[in-house]
Amino acid sequence: MDKELIGLIVKSKKGRDIGKYYIIERVIDPFHVALIDGQKFDFKRQKRKNRKHLCIITKAEEEIIQGIMNQEERCLKNIIRRLALEAKEV
């Protein structure tokens, strides 16, 4: 079940980052996930957030999900582009 969460594009509902978009990088425990945005938060430093404070928007493309699982640095550009596109749509 937790593997299915990796690669989901989410929007923050609570906290000082309200309205910001992230991609789930990994599940920490049943209540928390590690998020990345490709800029401030990447594979070296993730944002820890309670799952109930997130709104699931959609799933990222398979190419991005594979990049996240392999922790490819070149994938970060695609993540930044994808999150910017998602933010414009809303």
Side-chain angles (χ1 to χ4, degrees):
M1 157 75 186
D2 289 343
K3 285 269 190 225
E4 298 165 12
L5 294 175
I6 296 172
L8 286 180
I9 297 174
V10 296
K11 184 177 179 181
S12 174
K13 295 192 297 188
K14 296 265 195 223
R16 66 176 75 176
D17 64 341
I18 192 165
K20 188 153 170 32
Y21 290 86
Y22 299 99
I23 293 184
I24 296 178
E25 192 253 344
R26 65 186 163 89
V27 176
I28 298 172
D29 59 43
F31 303 104
H32 298 91
V33 291
L35 305 171
I36 56 176
D37 64 3
Q39 296 172 322
K40 184 176 179 184
F41 302 105
D42 56 12
F43 298 120
K44 294 177 186 74
R45 177 175 184 252
Q46 299 93 21
K47 177 161 185 66
R48 184 174 184 260
K49 190 108 174 137
N50 192 320
R51 283 166 59 168
K52 70 180 179 182
H53 295 163
L54 298 171
C55 175
I56 296 172
I57 305 297
T58 186
K59 193 159 181 82
E61 291 74 23
E62 193 58 38
E63 175 189 353
I64 292 176
I65 295 170
Q66 288 304 315
I68 291 170
M69 289 184 163
N70 298 331
Q71 295 203 345
E72 298 171 0
E73 291 295 320
R74 60 191 166 102
C75 171
L76 294 175
K77 285 188 298 197
N78 294 339
I79 290 171
I80 293 168
R81 200 174 307 123
R82 182 65 177 92
L83 292 177
L85 183 70
E86 199 60 48
K88 281 182 190 165
E89 289 177 3
V90 174

